[in-house]
């Protein structure tokens, strides 16, 4: 009986529910970003030529799209506070990207990382806002 009471407490705690939705949305955004990166890498290998001036904007665009989807999924799961939860999922996704980039490159954080953080937080917030503000059709 004690374990059922613990599970009931877990489902009623709004903080754990919010954290669960933010983490799930962030994971969906990260998986989408990884899939799109793989598709673009395959396209670049097939083309044989990689335009160097296209890589940075492409990465920013993929980050924005992944953050938007992460915020949208987060707000769809939680069904409330879309702006805040979407922004938090965009921030968490940015932190994942930042940490993985720092591990891979061993370079210091640049100014573009701050811009990327702002853009990802904003796009996650917009995705979350759109997810909770959709009106259902009246029949």
């Amino acid at each position: 009986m004690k374990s059922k009471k613990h599970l009931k407490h877990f489902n009623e705690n709004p903080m754990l529910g919010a954290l669960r939705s933010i983490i799930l949305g962030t994971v969906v955004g990260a998986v989408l970003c990884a899939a799109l990166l793989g598709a673009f890498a395959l396209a670049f290998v097939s083309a044989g030529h990689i335009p160097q001036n296209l890589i940075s904007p492409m990465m920013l665009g993929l980050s924005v799209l992944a953050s938007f989807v992460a915020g949208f999924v987060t707000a769809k799961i939680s069904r409330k506070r879309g702006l805040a939860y979407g922004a938090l999922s965009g921030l968490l996704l940015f932190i994942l990207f930042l940490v993985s980039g720092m591990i891979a490159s061993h370079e210091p954080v640049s100014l573009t990382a701050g811009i990327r953080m702002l853009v990802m937080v904003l796009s996650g917030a917009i995705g979350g806002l759109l997810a909770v503000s959709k009106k259902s059709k009246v029949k």
Side-chain angles (χ1 to χ4, degrees):
M1 287 304 250
K2 192 173 186 179
S3 64
K4 286 184 181 182
K5 186 176 181 181
H6 176 66
L7 288 176
K8 184 178 178 184
H9 178 68
F10 178 77
N11 290 335
E12 290 178 358
N13 190 344
M15 186 66 127
L16 289 177
L19 186 62
R20 180 179 64 89
S21 65
I22 290 169
I23 289 173
L24 285 174
T26 303
V27 168
V28 168
V31 168
L32 174 71
C33 189
L36 289 175
L37 278 174
F40 278 115
L42 182 63
F44 283 149
V45 168
S46 300
H49 174 58
I50 302 171
Q52 294 296 319
N53 58 349
L54 183 67
I55 291 176
S56 183
M58 183 192 73
M59 290 301 302
L60 185 61
L62 287 177
S63 299
V64 166
L65 181 65
S67 180
F68 179 84
V69 170
F72 192 86
V73 169
T74 297
K76 279 293 188 186
I77 292 171
S78 68
R79 293 181 296 224
K80 59 183 177 184
R81 295 185 182 97
L83 191 66
Y85 290 174
L88 287 173
S89 67
L91 180 64
L92 183 59
L93 190 62
F94 167 75
I95 291 170
L96 287 174
F97 289 172
L98 181 70
V99 168
S100 62
M102 288 176 67
I103 289 172
S105 69
H106 301 301
E107 292 181 13
V109 179
S110 66
L111 178 63
T112 59
I115 295 169
R116 178 170 282 149
M117 180 187 73
L118 288 174
V119 170
M120 287 180 72
V121 169
L122 284 174
S123 65
I126 292 169
L129 184 65
L130 289 178
V132 296
S133 66
K134 280 191 168 184
K135 302 279 185 186
S136 62
K137 291 184 180 179
V138 178
K139 292 184 178 182

